[in-house]
Amino acid sequence: MFGLGGTTDYRALAARLLLPAILLLVPTPSAANIFGTDDRRDIAPEDGLSGIGTIVCEGTTRRPTAALVTLPGTLPGRDVIATVAHAFLGSNGQRLEACEFWPGADASLSAPIAFLETGTLNPEGNWHNDWAVGVLDRRLPVHLSRLVPRALDAREAELKRRNPAHFLLVGHNGERGPLQVSERCGPVAKTGSDLNRFDARVFNHDCDMMPGWSGGPLILKENGTDYLVAVNSTEVNAITHISGRPYNGRMNPNTAVRVDGVFLETLQRLLKSGAPGSASGCLVASMGGMPALPC
């Protein structure tokens, strides 16, 4: 059917048959961490997410995401942000210094991070503790939005998605931006085949994102309040994530570190006291040059 033109014809046929298979096997960057149809869009003013921004440190072009947080009835003298610990690690594994928070990725509103507490300083081997709470050097304008920390376990999240609840994830696309939101998504139930199925400290989620969305808040909108329930952490999940591969619930889940335990306690303490402190089982680090101190 293909003619008898010798080995050249068979080689050409083999190449034509092999090419589609190769294309299926090679991951494309556009598909990385995208679940189904990509629903990311630029943040709009009506979203009320002006207090979400980027972390900018000397010595790197990376722009991880972070969010201002608050507690009802409290008004500390300095603002507090929530993000991931690996936002403050350079390519050489050393802690970055001279870091600022830019709400809305706007340099004109930048505020230095004066103090930092993290769940770990080695997130690649301890990714379920990949959280960080930073205290800024001052209070930012009151019109900026702030999220309320809230502990939400996997069962509660599953019930709320059935309700349905309104979850969303916010992040920053690489070094270029812009800040974006992924909607119609949220925590997903783990299955018996998920490699992290026994770790209750992280959510698997089906929100769309890419590098730069690390530290982005996973938000629950409920009864007029925006709750911070987790921080996005997939890019450092060395056990279950293969960088650049498309979303896969078993091998490459999009993950976020839940706000609970020491993470929640640290947020509440720093929001109430407005001053540095310590907490059991964590590492305390000052951005002012002090070495990391075990609690």
Side-chain angles (χ1 to χ4, degrees):
M1 289 184 295
F2 296 98
L4 298 175
T7 57
T8 302
D9 291 339
Y10 288 106
R11 288 172 181 169
L13 172 61
R16 287 197 298 271
L17 293 175
L18 183 59
L19 181 58
I22 293 174
L23 292 176
L24 286 174
L25 290 173
V26 176
T28 58
S30 61
N33 308 112
I34 303 302
F35 185 85
T37 302
D38 188 350
D39 76 344
R40 292 173 298 163
R41 63 169 175 82
D42 293 357
I43 289 178
E46 54 268 25
D47 292 322
L49 301 172
S50 58
I52 299 170
T54 54
I55 295 171
V56 180
C57 300
E58 288 186 4
T60 180
T61 59
R62 292 169 52 238
R63 297 289 186 267
T65 309
L68 292 171
V69 289
T70 190
L71 289 176
T74 64
L75 189 64
R78 294 187 287 173
D79 261 312
V80 174
I81 59 171
T83 185
V84 286
H86 76 262
F88 302 97
L89 291 179
S91 58
N92 58 0
Q94 298 299 308
R95 185 164 57 86
L96 297 169
E97 302 285 351
C99 296
E100 298 179 339
F101 173 64
W102 295 8
D106 185 351
S108 68
L109 295 173
S110 66
I113 300 172
F115 178 82
L116 182 72
E117 265 189 59
T118 66
T120 178
L121 287 180
N122 183 30
E124 290 203 29
N126 195 20
W127 49 266
H128 38 237
N129 289 322
D130 186 15
W131 57 262
V133 182
V135 180
L136 305 183
D137 74 338
R138 63 181 179 277
R139 182 81 174 170
L140 290 171
V142 68
H143 71 268
L144 296 175
S145 66
R146 290 163 176 84
L147 305 174
V148 177
R150 177 174 173 178
L152 191 70
D153 63 31
R155 178 58 177 166
E156 290 174 305
E158 183 179 353
L159 291 174
K160 287 185 180 299
R161 284 209 73 177
R162 292 177 183 176
N163 209 22
H166 185 189
F167 288 96
L168 56 89
L169 182 73
V170 181
H172 178 260
N173 285 353
E175 292 86 35
R176 299 182 307 276
L179 282 165
Q180 292 191 319
V181 59
S182 174
E183 299 181 294
R184 300 184 297 277
C185 66
V188 295
K190 296 175 185 175
T191 67
S193 63
D194 288 351
L195 296 183
N196 62 359
R197 63 190 180 277
F198 298 119
D199 192 348
R201 291 167 290 184
V202 297
F203 284 129
N204 285 4
H205 67 81
D206 59 0
C207 298
D208 297 325
M209 51 90 171
M210 63 177 288
W213 287 54
S214 292
L218 182 61
I219 299 169
L220 168 65
K221 285 181 170 287
E222 189 173 66
N223 300 324
T225 301
D226 290 353
Y227 294 101
L228 171 69
V229 298
V231 290
N232 195 42
S233 66
T234 294
E235 286 304 309
V236 80
N237 188 342
I239 295 177
T240 63
H241 181 72
I242 303 173
S243 182
R245 295 285 179 87
Y247 174 92
N248 176 285
R250 184 175 72 86
M251 293 301 296
N252 310 313
N254 296 342
T255 62
V257 180
R258 292 178 48 234
V259 173
D260 73 345
V262 177
F263 185 12
L264 178 60
E265 293 169 5
T266 303
L267 282 165
Q268 292 173 331
R269 171 170 44 79
L270 293 178
L271 282 166
K272 290 176 181 177
S273 68
S278 63
S280 176
C282 67
L283 292 173
V284 178
S286 167
M287 299 303 293
M290 290 175 56
L293 301 174
C295 300

